[in-house]
Each structure stands twice: as structure tokens, then as C-alpha cells.
Amino acid sequence: MSDGRAALAGVRVLEASATRAGRVAGMLLADLGADVARAVLPASGDGADASTLAEEPDEAGLPGALWSDRGKRVARMSRDDVARLAGGADVLLVDQTPARLAALGLDAASLAHPGLCHVWLPPYGEHGPWREVAEDPLLLAGLGGVAARNPATWDCPVAPVTATTTHLHGALGAAAAVAALVGRRRDGGRGHAVTVSGLHAAAAQLGMMTQVGHDQPVIRGSRTGKGVPFWRIYQTGDGRWLYLAALVPEIFFRALDAMDRMDVLVLPGVDGDWNKIQVYDVGGRLVADELEIEFRKRPLAEWLDLFAAADVPCAPIATRAEWAVRDIVEANRALVRRDHPTLGPVTMPGFPVHLTRAPAAPGGFPVAEDLPPGGEIWPDTPARAVVPPAARQDGGRSLPLTGLRVVDLSSYLAGPLIGELLADWGADVVKVEPPDGDPFRVFPMSVLVASQHKRALALDVAAPGGADVLLRLLRDADLFVENMRPGRMEKLGLAAERVLAANPDLVRCSVSAYGHASEYADAPGFDPVFQALSGLADAQGGAGDPVLTPIPLNDTGTGVLGALAALAALYARDRDGAGDRLYLSLANTATYLQSPEFTEYAGRPRPPCGGTDHPGPSAGHRYYRCADGWLGVAAVTESRVADLLAALGLDPPATAPPADTAPPADTAADPVADAVAAALAGRAVRAAAAALAARGIPAVPAILGDDHVTDPHLVANGFTHVIADPRYGRFDVVHRYGAWRHGAGRPPARVVLVGHDTRQVLAEAGYPADEVEALLTARVVTDIDLRDVPDGTPYGPPAPPAARRAGG
């Protein structure tokens, strides 16, 4: 039950934002109860002095701005006001580019407030040639590699129709802010400083798709959007579309059995080999071709009923309007209504996670005002003491979540990403999985990314005594993450009452597909199910066929939002002495990631749609092919389009080009787009980007393929690092999800094999050696068989024979 006090009640946040991500971060903190004051800073030109802050051209009055400003106080102020008021804040959110931030004196090194948590959200990182480019979602998708993973008919970047990476950036920044608050309480009141760039958000979103092998290649799927036969879209007999989301062999075999088509597994060229099915150009195409014919034999409704009876995740392609009125959305209370003083009633997504004891409460719409008399926002809060630079002693500081203990019983991606984020920020996370491993281990490189900073315990929770072992681990834990379907925990002997008896202060985070409040609560579901249902695939496809991206948008979004909500609940627990139960779902995340598009009011502009190989919404805002690569350009106003044309030596058009908010047009037939494309075709992409950026036109390269490993800008920002797998060799994988100013205490990154840390974890839980051996003998727990791990790996040499167990 709720006690009426918000999780972040009493927390003061000063938001000096100029980008969408900064405003989203502040909004999420306001939803959780923080007192967020957003500084409206005077606009300034290129020659302005550092006493003012310049906001980028904004969509003021449009759906995104309405949604992201709710629940805040908004005040007009100068840079000096921000620097002064930061002394009374708990959190300062800033999102300027590096040079601008330093010139304004709002960087962490210049602000000498020892208790302030400084959260910096630069658009494209701290380093590299494009660090000073103005924020834009299309540019971030291009530079961060997101556009390179969207389906295409040829090797080109494809612009997403909604700013999912930017919305993830805001959520990641908000999570880092709460992590800093948790760390401050554990660190004697000293604040933490962190940089969370848009590239960190791209890394979180793309983590499962960015592995590059040094010793053997990582096989990529087809970019055509057709995909492997168990994870793709099919057209049914009535012309409708269905996405089959049978991610792992067990589910795909159920689907084939329901279809009476198990015979496709033994087609010549498939030969019963699952590895061949996973590769589209080997056996995957053969199976998919057969199933395409099969799906056209029945209408959509029949397939949905058939797969529901077989417990196979699938979904029809729907529109956003259809999703907004679905019973799933209503049951999960995904939308809220607030009255706007001039626009009237506004419906928009609410906070996407339900906190049972301290639920979030989205606020109303603010009106910008001047600072109150005296220039204070929190007049009853004295400013903290300023520490002279010579007196600061910052060496040896730990990450903010050092000492936090997490038990992760979740599988697949959304739940495990919660624990991986917290582990990356210092928490001790134990991944608990069955002796035969998380089902997601059929994709070992993805598991590597989702668990690279965790420890691993192999536990058969269903075995006699297995639940007791888990309860013993939970006794000393702070957070418990699980994604069991309803009723499963009770069947395992882990009813809520028993869990709470083991640890009344535990924060429990329950992850599901459809949410726990609807008739679909027990239904299985993976990421593309919600791309299909929520209207994203329909909007991305535009007038053509629907387009679903292989990027796990809803899984990764749920992981980041889960980390934010869990940290907020932990902060409230440390304040109030009571744990909480959190419910989050891929369904609610699907709504959150499209929040501007789901923000409705009378007269709102029509959201842009995509299409096949969608380059962008307008001639000035899209991807262009250069002589040696692709360039993203963000000339989003008429004046910037004019500057773009002038920079390329082109005449202005007779009529103004369409803006991003106009109904979708065929940009390939746009004379302005054609002229710009011809002018850029013979230029080198990096030279063109630098020339345009120098004229104030935001532009960056759009990387393709595996270039994220070698691209100079991403390398400068540490986008990936190398991990050695004892089975498969060395791989580049995404590195981290934020750069903390004090970084001591991060668990070492490594490949976590099933049961690698079983003995150590049980010993720490208080089990004597003889009981550990008894549990191993009874197969309640298992540990790694070091005979399968060669010499010279991160795990060290194989154990001596006496330490090995037969069958272990």
C-alpha cells in the first residue's frame, strides 16, 4: 500500500537543460516526487558571452515539450543564477556541449558544492571531433550506430521515426542522478559527479548487437527486415501482418508443432541443425520461404488463436491509435490526463513503472516565471559550504552503488539489464540461473553484454531446498529482480509473504511482458511483439509494409527504466525504512518510448511517418550519401536550411522546404533534397560534416556495419572494450553506461559462465563448506567445470583434479 510520500520527496533538482534528453531526465525525477526547477536561459548567438546559456531550437508548444516539462517549476534565470542556486540543490542536471559547459563554469570541477550530485548529459560524449555539435535525435541515431541497425534494402542508415535513443538517454540520466543520491547517502553526504552521454544511451540500446570478434567473426542477420524464420514478420491470408517472436528453440518448436510444420526442420540444407536456421542465408531463408507460404493459408485471427493456445509470443501489426485504446494500456494505467491552460485536455504517457508503496505522480504543466524576490527557489534551504579547490580530497572515491547487493533471478534481456546497469555503477550483482543456464544463453554474446559485471550462481530453485537457498541470499540483499510469470514464484515456494519474512526491507522488482494488471499478465512476449502492437512498426513503415527494427528497443528501455525505479525505491527505503514492490513491463515501455507521439490534444500536429529506407523527415533533416560514407544533417528550421544551401553553394528554393512537422512527403522527389544530395555526393563525409558544423549546421557522420569499433569519435569516448571469452576468443562489446568522476570499485568485466561463482556466493551467504558440498552433490546448485576452460583465460588455470567433480 502507498503511504502517500513520493520516492524522491524532498529532493531538490536544478535542471539547466538545453536538450530533449535533459528535459526528459528532469521530468522523470519530477514524476518520482523531486522538486524540479528548470532554468529557462536567455538565448544567445555564437558571439554571446558566457553569462547566459543558449537553448537549442526547441519544439516549444509541441507534444514533446509538453510531456517533458510536466511537474516542474520553470523560471527565467542567468548562468550566474544557476551557479548560485546549485548550492541549495541536491542534483544539478546540465546537458551543454563540453566547451560550452566549461565556458559557463557549470562543470563539476568548477562548481565547488561538496554535497551536489552533478549529472552531465552531453549529446555525443566528452571527447572526439563531434562533441560540440548541437543535439538532435537523428544525428545521435546516426553517430551512435542505431540507424545502421534498422532494416534497409541496401547498406544505408535508416532514420527512426521516434526519438527512442534520446528518450532512453533521459531515463539513463535520471537513473544516474538517483544512483548519485543513493551513493551520497552511503558516502557521508559527499556528492557524486557523472557523465551520461547520448552515446551511453546508444550503447545500452545496441549492446546486444555490437559484438565484433577478434578471433572469429560474429554472424549478423539480414538487414532486409525479413530476418530469421522464428523472429520475423509474416503476411497472413487476409493481407494482415503478424510478427512471430519465437526467440529460442523451445518456443519455435512449439510454433512449428502448432502449425503442423515440424517437417521444415529437416529440409535439405537445414538438416535439423539449429545453427543453420539462425543464419538467414544458410538454412534460415529455406525455412522462412516455407513458412511464408504457410501463413498465407489462414487469416490473422486464426493464427493469433492458434499461437495463443500454444503459448507462442506473436502479435498483429497495429496503429498507435489502436494501441492507445487497448485494454492492455488501460489496465496498466499507461496514459494520464492533465489540463493545459491554453490547449485544454492533454492525454500523455504517465510514469512507466508502478511503485507500490510510493507511486509516481506526473504533475501538471508549468508556466515560465521570473525568479521570486530574492532570487531563491528554495529559500528555506541554506546553501552548502563551498570547498576551496586546494582543500578538495577526491582521491580513492568509490562508485556510488558500491556496497549495494542485488540478486538477479531474471532471464532474457530486460530484467538482466537492470542488474548490469547497477553492477556497472558499483553494485554487487549475483545472477541466479538454472544449472542449464538462462534460456538466452543460446545467444552467448548477448548474455556476455548483459552480465559482464555480475557474479554467477547456478541454482535449481525448484529442487528440494532450492527456494531456501534463494531466500538465504535475499536475506542480505537490497534488491531482488525477477521476471517470473504470475503464480510461478508461489509454486516455487517463494510467495511474497515468505520473501518479506526473509528480508522486510527488500526492494523487489517484477518484470513482465504485458504488465501484471491485465488479463494478458500470464502471456509471453518479447520486444518485437510491442513494436508491432504499439504502432511503432506501422509508423516506421509509413505507407509501405510495416518495419520492425531488430534493435531490442523495449527490452533495453525496460532495463533502464527498471534501474531508475529500483534506485528510487532504494533511496526511499533508506529514508523511510521500508522496501517496495515494483512492476514494470515491456508494454508500458513501448508507450513511454513514443511519448511525444502518444501526447494528444486538440489540434496537435501529425507525427511524421517513415517508409522503406527512410532517410529522414525533410530535406534539411536526413541522411545523405557522401563519397566515402553517410552524413546526418539537422537543418530543422528554414534559416538553417538556407545556411545549408549556402554552405554547399546552392541557390535557395523558390518555395520553403517542408518542415519536420508537415505531413510526410517523398523526400527522394524533393528538389531541395536532390540538390543537397548531388552537392554532397562527391565530398568526403568527415570534411563535409566539419564544414557544416563550422557554419552552425548540426552534422555528423552516420556509421555503418561494425564501424563503431574503429570510428575515431566512438573510440575517443570508449564506446567498446575487449573481453576474452574462454570458448570463443576476444570480442569488442559495449563498455559502460556512464562515466563517474570517481570510478573505483567497479566489478571486473568478464565472461560469466553458468555457476562460475557458486562456491564463493554460498560461502558469503554463510554456508559452511560441508553444506556447500552437500548442495553440490544433491544438484541443488552447480558450479563451473573448469575442465572446459582453457589455460590463460580470465578464469586462470584449470582447477587441480581433486577439485573437479564428475559431471560438474
Side-chain angles (χ1 to χ4, degrees):
M1 293 291 292
S2 170
D3 65 1
R5 192 177 190 196
L8 299 185
V11 173
R12 303 173 302 277
V13 178
L14 183 59
E15 177 200 322
S17 63
T19 72
R20 297 164 182 83
R23 288 168 70 167
V24 170
M27 177 268 292
L28 292 170
L29 297 177
D31 283 356
L32 287 163
D35 182 357
V36 179
R38 183 169 86 85
V40 175
L41 304 150
S44 60
D46 292 338
D49 64 50
S51 65
T52 60
L53 281 168
E55 294 188 359
E56 295 302 324
D58 186 49
E59 70 276 25
L62 295 180
L66 290 174
W67 164 67
S68 61
D69 267 351
R70 69 183 185 206
K72 304 174 184 177
R73 292 189 285 164
V74 179
R76 291 179 282 267
M77 62 182 75
S78 69
R79 183 283 312 264
D80 291 337
D81 292 325
V82 174
R84 174 176 52 82
L85 292 170
D90 297 296
V91 175
L92 175 65
L93 287 175
V94 288
D95 55 9
Q96 301 288 319
T97 63
R100 190 67 182 158
L101 189 72
L104 294 165
L106 296 178
D107 54 300
S110 299
L111 290 173
H113 303 302
L116 179 67
C117 294
H118 188 281
V119 182
W120 178 31
L121 309 177
Y124 313 112
E126 298 182 64
H127 313 290
W130 318 116
R131 62 187 180 275
E132 295 303 321
V133 175
E135 177 262 353
D136 181 83
L138 181 141
L139 300 190
L140 176 58
L143 185 60
V146 173
R149 301 298 178 189
N150 285 330
T153 62
W154 63 302
D155 198 19
C156 66
V158 174
V161 295
T162 190
T164 61
T165 312
T166 297
H167 300 157
L168 194 71
H169 186 194
L172 194 61
V178 186
L181 291 168
V182 171
R184 184 179 69 171
R185 181 169 281 155
R186 293 164 172 260
D187 200 21
R190 291 188 296 176
H192 288 260
V194 63
T195 302
V196 179
S197 76
L199 297 180
H200 289 123
Q205 198 167 59
L206 287 177
M208 307 306 116
M209 307 181 68
T210 55
Q211 304 89 347
V212 176
H214 288 236
D215 303 310
Q216 59 179 285
V218 175
I219 299 174
R220 303 286 181 207
S222 168
R223 278 198 71 196
T224 63
K226 296 293 186 181
V228 289
F230 52 86
W231 192 254
R232 59 167 285 166
I233 191 171
Y234 291 98
Q235 193 166 29
T236 60
D238 54 356
R240 299 287 302 276
W241 292 92
L242 174 143
Y243 197 96
L244 177 63
L247 179 61
V248 296
E250 176 189 353
I251 301 175
F252 188 48
F253 298 157
R254 288 205 306 266
L256 293 178
D257 188 43
M259 300 172 74
D260 196 23
R261 288 306 311 266
M262 292 291 284
D263 61 291
V264 300
L265 299 176
V266 293
L267 288 170
V270 179
D271 310 316
D273 187 342
W274 175 256
N275 291 322
K276 291 182 179 180
I277 297 173
Q278 290 190 84
V279 182
Y280 182 74
D281 291 328
V282 181
R285 183 195 300 269
L286 299 172
V287 175
D289 288 347
E290 284 290 319
L291 296 187
E292 279 190 347
I293 296 171
E294 193 68 31
F295 272 101
R296 292 194 185 101
K297 295 179 180 178
R298 304 189 194 191
L300 173 67
E302 288 189 23
W303 287 118
L304 293 175
D305 290 343
L306 184 77
F307 287 139
D311 204 28
V312 173
C314 67
I317 303 299
T319 66
R320 289 186 180 126
E322 289 171 329
W323 177 247
V325 297
R326 281 292 300 262
D327 49 355
I328 302 166
V329 173
E330 181 180 2
N332 287 301
R333 301 176 183 176
L335 299 174
V336 298
R337 174 174 159 164
R338 299 289 184 268
D339 289 327
H340 190 275
T342 57
L343 297 174
V346 177
T347 300
M348 58 186 169
F351 189 76
V353 182
H354 177 64
L355 290 79
T356 303
R357 192 179 66 83
F365 301 110
V367 176
E369 299 177 346
D370 294 325
L371 281 175
E376 296 297 330
I377 293 178
W378 302 290
D380 56 340
T381 304
R384 297 184 180 88
V386 174
V387 178
R392 297 178 206 167
Q393 305 233 340
D394 294 331
R397 295 278 304 281
S398 296
L399 288 165
L401 302 185
T402 299
L404 193 74
R405 306 193 69 175
V406 180
V407 173
D408 176 11
L409 189 66
S410 63
S411 57
Y412 294 103
L413 179 54
L417 185 57
I418 296 172
E420 176 55 29
L421 275 168
L422 302 185
D424 186 52
W425 296 348
D428 175 18
V429 181
V430 175
K431 179 175 178 62
V432 180
E433 57 188 325
D436 55 353
D438 182 336
F440 201 43
R441 284 190 180 269
V442 296
F443 305 102
M445 294 298 100
S446 295
V447 172
L448 186 163
V449 173
S451 296
Q452 60 178 306
H453 293 100
K454 300 177 185 177
R455 297 190 291 161
L457 166 71
L459 169 65
D460 185 353
V461 182
D468 294 332
V469 174
L470 184 65
L471 289 169
R472 194 155 175 176
L473 294 180
L474 295 177
R475 186 176 61 190
D476 298 319
D478 299 288
L479 174 67
F480 177 37
V481 181
E482 49 86 12
N483 62 347
M484 297 284 185
R485 288 160 74 171
R488 178 63 177 159
M489 294 290 287
E490 288 76 9
K491 290 180 181 178
L492 292 172
L494 293 165
E497 297 78 11
R498 195 175 182 206
V499 172
L500 289 175
N503 184 349
D505 297 333
L506 186 68
V507 171
R508 180 174 170 182
C509 185
S510 296
V511 185
S512 69
Y514 289 88
H516 287 73
S518 75
E519 63 178 288
Y520 303 90
D522 193 42
F526 293 113
D527 181 276
V529 166
F530 298 98
Q531 290 189 44
L533 288 173
S534 69
L536 181 60
D538 174 75
Q540 187 68 51
D545 294 345
V547 175
L548 289 94
T549 178
I551 302 169
L553 303 175
N554 299 301
D555 281 318
T556 53
T558 301
V560 173
L561 292 166
L564 165 62
L567 288 166
L570 288 166
Y571 181 84
R573 182 204 64 173
D574 291 346
R575 177 194 65 201
D576 302 333
D580 205 345
R581 177 78 180 272
L582 318 182
Y583 294 97
L584 57 153
S585 66
L586 274 64
N588 270 7
T589 298
T591 307
Y592 164 79
L593 289 175
Q594 301 178 78
S595 287
E597 291 78 15
F598 280 114
T599 298
E600 292 285 348
Y601 54 88
R604 68 149 288 164
R606 178 181 172 185
C609 292
T612 302
D613 300 336
H614 181 52
S618 66
H621 195 194
R622 58 170 282 174
Y623 301 121
Y624 287 99
R625 192 178 190 184
C626 294
D628 59 347
W630 287 83
L631 178 71
V633 179
V636 298
T637 63
E638 290 185 21
S639 62
R640 279 190 169 170
V641 172
D643 291 340
L644 169 65
L645 297 175
L648 297 175
L650 300 173
D651 294 329
T655 58
D660 285 1
T661 54
D666 181 4
T667 55
D670 184 335
V672 175
D674 290 345
V676 174
L680 289 171
R683 305 190 185 202
V685 63
R686 296 185 185 280
L692 294 181
R695 295 284 295 263
I697 303 162
V700 298
I703 67 167
L704 291 178
D706 291 335
D707 290 348
H708 59 276
V709 172
T710 56
D711 178 81
H713 186 87
L714 299 187
V715 169
N717 285 283
F719 194 77
T720 64
H721 67 155
V722 178
I723 292 183
D725 188 300
R727 303 155 298 175
Y728 310 118
R730 297 164 298 157
F731 292 87
D732 265 285
V733 300
V734 292
H735 188 191
R736 58 187 180 183
Y737 307 109
W740 295 88
R741 190 176 179 194
H742 308 290
R746 176 179 284 106
R750 58 179 185 157
V751 175
V752 179
L753 301 183
V754 179
H756 180 260
D757 305 287
T758 292
R759 293 174 181 271
Q760 181 187 41
V761 170
L762 292 179
E764 291 174 359
Y767 283 95
D770 60 334
E771 291 189 29
V772 172
E773 292 302 323
L775 290 169
L776 289 165
T777 301
R779 304 289 293 174
V780 176
V781 299
T782 58
D783 64 349
I784 191 173
D785 185 352
L786 293 177
R787 289 173 296 183
D788 294 335
V789 182
D791 292 335
T793 72
Y795 306 102
R804 300 174 184 161
R805 293 182 300 105

